[in-house]
Structure formats: C-alpha cells, structure tokens
C-alpha cells in the first residue's frame, strides 16, 4: 500500500469500544489516524490530539503522550470535521506532515518515512 491522496474524514464515536475517537483521517486503506477533541482548561480552545495511528504493514501505534496540534491546523481540521469533507487535500497532507513531525518521538519512525509523513 502506498500513501496517496485523497484523505477522507469520518466522524466517529468517543464511546466506541474498539477505537474511541471523535474523527478519523484516512487514506485509501493505508493510514488511519484517530483524533480526539479536548478542551483546554485555560484558554477554552478546542485541542486536537492524535489518539492512535495505524499504518498498513505496521499495525496500530497508540499515542498516550501526543502533543496537541497547532491551533491554526486544529481549527482547519475541526472545520473539515464539521463539514464532513476535506476541501484542500494538499493542505491536509501538510497538516499531517507538520503534526507527525511534531510527534515523531511517539510514532514509529520507519512508518513515517515509508508513508512520507516526515
């Protein structure tokens, strides 16, 4: 499986037993990135964090210590989440690359390299 655009976004259920998250970004059955939305206690902003990411050929990587996504990128993803659609595929790829680079110490390096996310 080779990562290629387009990304798709699907709403999910945080109460789901197998993979609890608010939404999933995926690419052609190669990558599934499960995100949660949290509220910052101080700023009251919505934070977007990766709960787990699955790569074809690598399995599922749970991220207990993922850092929150940058606010501008989080706002863009949350807008797409509300619209049930990604309006700019290249921007989505760049957001994923920035976020994976920010959390590369928590995600399998060989998977990130294979799928060109760093």
């Amino acid at each position: 499986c080779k990562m290629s655009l387009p990304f798709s976004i699907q709403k999910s259920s945080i109460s789901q037993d197998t993979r609890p998250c608010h939404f999933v970004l995926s690419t052609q059955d190669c990558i599934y990135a499960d995100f949660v939305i949290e509220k910052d206690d101080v700023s009251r902003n919505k934070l977007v964090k990766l709960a787990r990411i699955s790569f074809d050929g690598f399995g599922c990587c749970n991220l207990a210590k993922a850092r929150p996504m940058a606010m501008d990128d989080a706002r863009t993803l949350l807008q797409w989440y509300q619209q049930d659609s990604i309006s700019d595929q290249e921007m989505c790829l760049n957001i994923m690359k920035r976020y994976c680079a920010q959390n590369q110490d928590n995600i399998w390096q060989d998977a990130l390299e294979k799928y060109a996310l760093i």
Side-chain angles (χ1 to χ4, degrees), residues 5 73 76 80 86-98:
L5 299 177
D73 289 344
T76 301
W80 292 334
I86 297 172
S87 59
D88 187 331
Q89 289 292 324
E90 200 63 39
M91 182 183 290
C92 187
L93 177 60
N94 289 330
I95 288 171
M96 283 298 293
K97 285 181 175 182
R98 282 191 295 272

Side-chain angles (χ1 to χ4, degrees), residues 10 12-16 19-25 33-40 45-53 63-69 74 77-78 81 99:
Q10 302 93 30
S12 188
S13 171
I14 196 68
S15 62
Q16 181 183 354
R19 289 177 32 200
C21 64
H22 288 99
F23 66 93
V24 179
L25 280 181
D34 300 345
F35 288 91
V36 293
I37 302 167
E38 299 176 350
K39 193 166 272 190
D40 183 287
N45 289 325
K46 289 184 177 178
L47 303 176
V48 173
K49 291 173 67 175
L50 191 59
R52 74 199 59 76
I53 187 166
L63 284 90
K65 297 181 180 182
R67 289 176 283 288
M69 186 176 284
L77 274 187
L78 290 171
Y81 165 76
Y99 190 63

